[in-house]
Amino acid sequence: MTGPRYATVALPLPVARAYTYQIPADLLTRAVPGARVVVPVGARRAVGVVLAADVAPPDVHARPALRALDEQPALSPALLALGRWMSDYYGAPIGLALRAMLPGPLWSVARPAGPGEGSERVVRLIHRLPSLLEREAAFRRAPKRRAAYEALEALGGAAPLRHLGQRLGIGAAVIAGLVRQGLAEVSVTARPRDPFAELATPLPPVATPDQEAVIRAILEGPVERPAVIQGVTGSGKTLVYLAVLRRLVEAGRGAIVLVPEIALTPQTVARVRGAFGDQVAVLHSGLSEGERLDAWRALRRNERRVAVGPRSAVFAPVQDLGAVVIDEEHEPSYKQGSAPRYHTRDVARERARIEGARLLLGSATPSLETLFMVDTGRAHAYLLPQRIGSRPLPPVEVVDLRTAERVPEARVIPWSTTLDAAVTAALERGEQVILLLNRRGFATYLQCPQCGTVSECPRCAIALTVHRTPAALRCHYCAYESPVPAACGRCGHATQRMGGLGTQQLEHFLGLRFPAARIARMDLDTTSTKWAHQEILDRFARGAVDLLLGTQMIAKGLDFPNVTVVGVVDADTGLHLPDFRAAERTFQLVAQVAGRAGRGERGGQVVVQTRHPDHHAIRAAAGHSVAEFAAAELPLRRAPHPAYPPAVGLVRFVIALPDATRAARLAERVAAWLRRANAGTLAGALAVLGPAPCPLARLQGRWRWHVVVKAAEARTLGRVVRAWRARGRGAVVVDRDPASLL
Ligand code: ADP
Ligand code: ZN
């Protein structure tokens, strides 16, 4: 054939259509579907992915592609098909769907950056004083030094010298004092060592009969039916996944293991490494771009066969994929927050279908979506009802905060004598304690006792959180920060009252209550640096910390046998959010953190403090019972109640604009369009709700409205989002299967 040849190319842009380019003869063999090409876009150049080669010539003049970047197409035919599926299912522009699938540097026209990062002087704590007594002894006459120490600790143990000086006003002399005392060191950042590089835990040599039965049943079951491994906390689910994978890997196939957040699950990563050694590529955000690219290439070339990582690892270029495992499948972090807003579970199911791989979903508290798949025969559940070694699940005592006796010294802090006694006894026996409070900061708001004004974020319709060490009012949605005012901005009243307990205040109280205990706090504020999670969990594992407190971060799959007491300080923090999953998330969080207790021989005990002891989420969590929770919750998501997933599918259209009137007007237009579509081709299959202001009515200076549509048939929603994609309106976010309605 002579004459020019053409290909359609997807560009990583929010536009619905693909572009046609001419493919020069010397690029023809490489510019095949799935391969990256450099093409001109206006006056610039961009990297795109070939969708189809040898297409018909376009009506208008097509410019020639400039370079073809791949020897082997970056996206295999299976992954390209997965990208098309994502684009169609979520109504996302194809270019954005494909962009989510490849590491960032592969989209760069310039050479990808190497592993080097800019250097900077960093202060790092090298010796910790986790108990109040130690700290008081060390800083008797040095309050500034103590403040610096505590600020560093609150920042995760390390911070750039510049940040400390400019933002927090901590002088060089104070830092020098810490260094003299042997508590800190100042270094020019060399890249910190990757703590995952050598982590490996050998697997237990023999499976229990329960585990063996599940492993065999999964391997004998049909490949195309997802396997839900529903095992109570501590039942040994990890060994089951790995035994199934081992069969596949021994047969030369590859596998993907997905974890909610890699920094929070070092034990799982270590076990995968223990099972598969250097066949494993760990993909995590702590890697530099260059390192991540190396890991990607090693998988693409089949030099490594098992990928472990967070949600984006569902796209890992594993060759001859035999299985995808999703550990803690109920975790909200499996939903991507920006376009294409995919849910890893659904993408994994589609990828497994395309590639003929098994899908394994594991959790002690499966999502209702997954339980519904089991109920309707689209997945099969394998149960592990017993803990390893027949250890009992820890008894859970529910303390009613409305009536319970409290420790008087705790004042405003909800601290019952029951929880106090349990913690005191565990510490006396030299055992470890985990305390959950799912709210960071010191206090959740600051209010003037005279005029009632609450300090709010100027850009978001939300109260500012009070922080100490370092002190500031902070917005948890947009990171806005201001100094804590000395007086009320409205009426001038001199004292301000704080309300709502946060982890910093709890830590402060615990320090006073248990002065000899070594305490560590884990929340977003203490884990801002790369390896901070790992460092805190390491200290806890080594026994250098007695009491670990934190937000939901501490509830994820940790396995520490010396933890005998778990306390949920306030189980109600998420119970009343205006979101249909509020009860489900509360159940999962409480049941999961309860499951951290009693994993060793000494047994365990859990205390849950709540003002709603009869709520089904609390009761079911106290009984470690998924069945009880599902039996109470599923009917609430069906008629006569307003229907919600899994009973129906949802798509949420979010409109966010700086101008309030325009936002409301655009929302009206979106709703009108949806209603017209419903009256027309969709023949009334849709329920259109709204427009209404979002519960978070203003965020980052934008007014937010949403329109929520529901349909019983997935096909209906697919048609809606694709029709909307074809219209292409930038200011509207389309979120299918939303993780929240806030
Ligand atoms: P889950 O993820 O179900 O909560 P894990 O997989 O973390 O449970 O296992 C709980 C603990 O039991 C771990 O310490 C693990 O090493 C141990 N374990 C798992 N299977 C076995 C086995 N077959 N024999 C001995 N110990 C086991
Ligand atoms: Zn804000």
Side-chain angles (χ1 to χ4, degrees):
M1 194 172 118
T2 53
R5 311 269 280 269
Y6 299 92
T8 47
V9 174
L11 295 169
L13 303 171
V15 285
R17 64 190 198 87
Y19 295 81
T20 305
Y21 285 93
Q22 215 186 99
I23 306 297
D26 58 328
L27 302 186
L28 273 176
T29 54
R30 293 170 68 173
V32 296
R36 294 173 305 137
V37 287
V38 178
V39 293
V41 181
R44 287 197 257 144
R45 293 174 308 155
V47 173
V49 168
V50 176
L51 291 175
D54 270 331
V55 299
D59 303 336
V60 291
H61 169 70
R63 297 165 74 185
L66 304 170
R67 281 194 288 150
L69 296 174
D70 296 326
E71 217 50 82
Q72 290 265 304
L75 290 172
S76 64
L79 285 172
L80 192 57
L82 185 67
R84 286 186 189 275
W85 176 85
M86 262 203 299
S87 168
D88 284 348
Y89 182 87
Y90 293 102
I94 179 73
L96 295 190
L98 298 186
R99 186 177 66 179
M101 301 177 78
L102 292 173
L106 290 184
W107 293 102
S108 156
V109 175
R111 289 214 141 274
E117 276 163 26
S119 67
E120 136 172 270
R121 283 159 71 78
V122 168
V123 187
R124 198 178 305 278
L125 291 179
I126 51 175
H127 185 77
R128 298 276 185 134
L129 306 167
S131 80
L132 184 64
L133 293 183
E134 288 173 274
R135 242 174 303 166
E136 289 194 332
F139 300 116
R140 189 140 294 148
R141 256 172 251 96
K144 276 194 187 163
R145 212 181 289 166
R146 175 170 175 170
Y149 171 87
E150 287 178 349
L152 271 166
E153 202 171 57
L155 291 167
L161 200 57
R162 202 163 31 90
H163 177 82
L164 294 172
Q166 291 173 2
R167 297 295 296 275
L168 307 177
I170 296 170
V174 178
I175 298 294
L178 283 178
V179 172
R180 264 200 316 280
Q181 237 175 317
L183 295 174
E185 66 179 16
V186 180
S187 56
V188 175
T189 40
R191 271 181 54 70
R193 200 177 61 82
D194 177 353
F196 291 107
E198 287 125 49
L199 223 54
T201 311
L203 285 189
V206 265
T208 63
D210 277 2
Q211 288 171 324
E212 193 54 54
V214 170
I215 295 162
R216 195 155 351 102
I218 291 174
L219 287 169
E220 284 166 6
V223 170
E224 60 280 3
R225 186 177 64 186
V228 179
I229 300 158
Q230 187 184 333
V232 297
T233 52
S235 58
K237 292 183 284 294
T238 317
L239 181 126
V240 171
Y241 314 142
L242 296 180
V244 171
L245 297 194
R246 188 175 295 161
R247 295 287 183 90
L248 296 164
V249 172
E250 277 168 6
R253 305 190 69 183
I256 298 174
V257 179
L258 299 166
V259 294
E261 258 170 274
I262 204 114
L264 298 174
T265 51
Q267 291 173 326
T268 307
V269 176
R271 289 176 191 162
V272 179
R273 189 61 85 25
F276 298 109
D278 57 13
Q279 309 230 53
V280 178
V282 183
L283 305 162
H284 59 92
S285 58
L287 297 178
S288 71
E289 296 227 303
E291 286 166 329
R292 216 172 315 174
L293 203 53
D294 286 347
W296 186 90
R297 289 205 174 108
L299 291 164
R300 182 77 184 86
R301 297 192 193 116
N302 214 10
E303 292 160 7
R304 298 195 179 224
R305 290 212 292 237
V306 180
V308 186
R311 60 172 181 259
S312 60
V314 73
F315 306 118
V318 170
Q319 301 297 294
D320 191 9
L321 186 68
V324 181
V325 173
I326 307 187
D327 191 23
E328 309 293 351
E329 68 86 28
H330 62 280
E331 280 286 334
S333 61
Y334 283 123
K335 172 86 176 172
Q336 157 94 344
S338 55
R341 296 173 201 279
Y342 64 87
H343 198 296
T344 310
R345 193 195 302 127
D346 300 310
V347 174
R349 190 172 49 188
E350 184 60 19
R351 182 165 181 193
R353 195 189 65 73
I354 294 172
E355 302 205 37
R358 289 183 185 277
L359 175 62
L360 272 55
L361 304 172
S363 177
T365 54
S367 61
L368 286 187
E369 281 81 354
T370 293
L371 292 173
F372 192 64
M373 281 208 302
V374 171
D375 281 353
T376 50
R378 289 172 294 146
H380 188 78
Y382 299 87
L383 303 182
L384 288 169
Q386 291 276 323
R387 279 191 161 180
I388 293 292
S390 305
R391 280 179 200 125
L393 284 161
V396 179
E397 186 165 352
V398 177
V399 171
D400 186 344
L401 283 173
R402 295 167 305 181
T403 54
E405 190 185 336
R406 299 208 192 175
V407 171
E409 295 81 5
R411 298 173 48 212
V412 297
I413 292 173
W415 190 254
S416 63
T417 50
T418 310
L419 181 52
D420 191 65
V423 173
T424 306
L427 294 175
E428 273 169 8
R429 294 191 301 261
E431 295 160 1
Q432 289 173 303
V433 174
I434 289 180
L435 292 176
L436 171 78
L437 176 66
N438 199 21
R439 245 179 354 210
R440 67 191 173 97
F442 192 83
T444 38
Y445 62 89
L446 187 70
Q447 187 172 34
C448 173
Q450 179 129 320
C451 73
T453 303
V454 171
S455 296
E456 276 199 7
C457 176
R459 305 195 288 173
C460 309
I462 203 88
L464 291 167
T465 305
V466 187
H467 282 247
R468 292 246 177 108
T469 61
L473 293 181
R474 295 227 178 89
C475 174
H476 285 184
Y477 287 87
C478 76
Y480 169 86
E481 197 177 308
S482 77
V484 182
C488 176
R490 178 130 137 237
C491 75
H493 189 75
T495 52
Q496 302 280 286
R497 205 180 55 213
M498 288 183 286
L501 177 67
T503 46
Q504 293 179 7
Q505 192 173 351
L506 180 65
E507 180 187 27
H508 179 77
F509 164 71
L510 293 170
L512 297 172
R513 183 78 188 156
F514 306 105
R518 294 159 302 167
I519 299 174
R521 191 182 95 223
M522 188 149 121
D523 56 31
L524 260 188
D525 301 304
T526 62
T527 52
S528 53
T529 58
K530 264 187 195 171
W531 311 120
H533 304 86
Q534 176 67 14
E535 198 248 357
I536 296 172
L537 294 177
D538 261 358
R539 280 193 290 140
F540 197 58
R542 283 202 314 271
V545 167
D546 306 305
L547 201 165
L548 176 66
L549 78 137
T551 54
Q552 38 81 27
M553 286 184 177
I554 62 172
K556 289 176 209 290
L558 302 176
D559 182 40
F560 296 116
N562 197 36
V563 174
T564 57
V565 168
V566 164
V568 180
V569 177
D570 183 350
D572 310 336
T573 50
L575 203 52
H576 304 298
L577 292 176
D579 191 276
F580 70 95
R581 285 199 189 88
E584 183 179 350
R585 298 245 195 275
T586 298
F587 165 72
Q588 288 162 345
L589 184 60
V590 175
Q592 286 286 346
V593 75
R596 305 307 117 206
R599 291 175 160 248
E601 273 152 19
R602 300 203 236 186
Q605 163 190 14
V606 181
V607 177
V608 174
Q609 303 192 131
T610 173
R611 284 183 182 74
H612 302 274
D614 294 322
H615 194 287
H616 64 277
I618 307 282
R619 292 176 71 115
H624 306 280
S625 175
V626 172
E628 182 183 339
F629 177 71
E633 178 72 12
L634 266 172
L636 300 177
R637 304 217 188 154
R638 281 199 288 262
H641 303 275
Y644 279 113
V648 292
L650 281 190
V651 180
R652 185 185 188 213
F653 293 77
V654 181
I655 296 93
L657 289 173
D659 184 282
T661 322
R662 282 180 180 213
R665 230 184 284 136
L666 180 54
E668 285 291 352
R669 283 211 299 279
V670 173
W673 181 86
L674 287 163
R675 293 206 162 90
R676 270 201 309 280
N678 195 31
T681 51
L682 296 174
L686 218 55
V688 181
L689 296 123
C694 298
L696 274 170
R698 194 158 175 258
L699 213 52
Q700 311 200 351
R702 287 163 183 267
W703 296 90
R704 300 171 77 239
W705 286 70
H706 62 176
V707 184
V708 174
V709 302
K710 303 181 186 180
E713 297 271 339
R715 211 160 1 116
T716 312
L717 295 175
R719 288 173 63 188
V720 172
V721 297
R722 284 190 294 278
W724 183 265
R725 178 183 61 188
R727 291 185 80 222
R729 290 291 296 260
V732 181
V733 164
V734 180
D735 190 359
R736 184 163 187 187
D737 307 332
S740 114
L741 295 182
L742 300 179

